[in-house]
């Protein structure tokens, strides 16, 4: 891989799928009524639907919740840590609305979280059920909005 050959790491954004990859959406039967931001629409139409479907996404959220319960953290924390633990990732950007700061403390919990091999196996087992996403970085902005 290029990142290994040249010792390059990525600064990842969108790791919470515009907020869809959080406890708020676990158990929600139809997300289309709550797609109140362009970011959520982008991740719903351009990422989740291409990777799988809402039922598979719910399985992922349930698995992340199970892992989160073991560590007493949120689904978002597990998702953030999972991405941070990928060898090609040097850091993550967590988006937030300027008027809201309620998640700042929660997001800091990611730094004390350590996922186990069992956690990675459980998450990967669900991720592997979806389709590999294709396209260039930024395609999600050009195709669906």
């Amino acid at each position: 891989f290029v990142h290994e050959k040249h010792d390059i790491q990525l600064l990842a954004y969108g790791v919470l799928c515009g907020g869809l990859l959080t406890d708020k959406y676990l158990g929600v039967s139809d997300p289309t009524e709550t797609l109140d931001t362009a970011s959520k629409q982008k991740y719903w139409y351009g990422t989740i639907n291409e990777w799988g479907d809402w039922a598979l996404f719910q399985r992922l959220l349930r698995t992340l919740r199970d892992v989160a319960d073991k560590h007493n953290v949120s689904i978002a924390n597990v998702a953030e840590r999972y991405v941070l633990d990928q060898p090609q990732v040097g850091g993550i950007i967590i988006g937030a609305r300027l008027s809201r700061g309620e998640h700042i403390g929660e997001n800091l919990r990611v730094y004390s979280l350590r996922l186990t091999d069992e956690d990675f196996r459980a998450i990967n087992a669900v991720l592997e059920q979806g389709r590999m996403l294709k396209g260039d970085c930024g395609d999600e902005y050009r195709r669906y909005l």
Side-chain angles (χ1 to χ4, degrees):
F1 294 108
V2 173
H3 74 276
E4 292 170 336
K5 182 178 179 182
H6 298 287
D7 195 26
I8 297 171
Q9 290 192 307
L10 304 173
L11 182 57
Y13 72 97
V15 300
L16 299 180
C17 292
L20 293 171
L21 200 54
T22 63
D23 286 285
K24 179 179 178 180
Y25 287 91
L26 177 61
V28 171
S29 60
D30 180 7
T32 56
E33 295 180 11
T34 61
L35 300 178
D36 57 344
T37 66
S39 182
K40 286 178 189 169
Q41 293 171 22
K42 171 188 68 174
Y43 288 109
W44 168 248
Y45 295 109
T47 303
I48 295 169
N49 278 325
E50 286 192 21
W51 169 72
D53 60 17
W54 190 247
L56 181 57
F57 190 72
Q58 283 296 308
R59 282 197 295 277
L60 177 60
L61 289 175
R62 179 75 257 159
T63 299
L64 295 174
R65 180 72 257 156
D66 291 344
V67 171
D69 286 345
K70 281 178 37 181
H71 298 283
N72 198 29
V73 296
S74 68
I75 286 175
N77 292 147
V78 175
E80 293 160 350
R81 183 79 260 163
Y82 180 89
V83 173
L84 278 169
D85 285 346
Q86 302 308 304
Q88 66 273 28
V89 174
I92 59 174
I93 298 171
I94 302 299
R97 295 182 189 177
L98 293 175
S99 63
R100 298 187 181 173
E102 68 262 19
H103 299 295
I104 293 171
E106 176 191 335
N107 288 330
L108 291 174
R109 297 177 79 186
V110 72
Y111 296 108
S112 61
L113 174 59
R114 297 294 171 251
L115 298 177
T116 66
D117 290 341
E118 179 183 342
D119 297 335
F120 279 103
R121 282 191 297 275
I123 295 166
N124 288 334
V126 178
L127 291 175
E128 290 166 1
Q129 294 175 40
R131 293 180 292 275
M132 178 65 72
L133 297 178
K134 298 178 182 175
D136 293 330
C137 181
D139 274 356
E140 67 273 18
Y141 292 104
R142 294 184 284 275
R143 292 188 288 185
Y144 300 98
L145 297 179

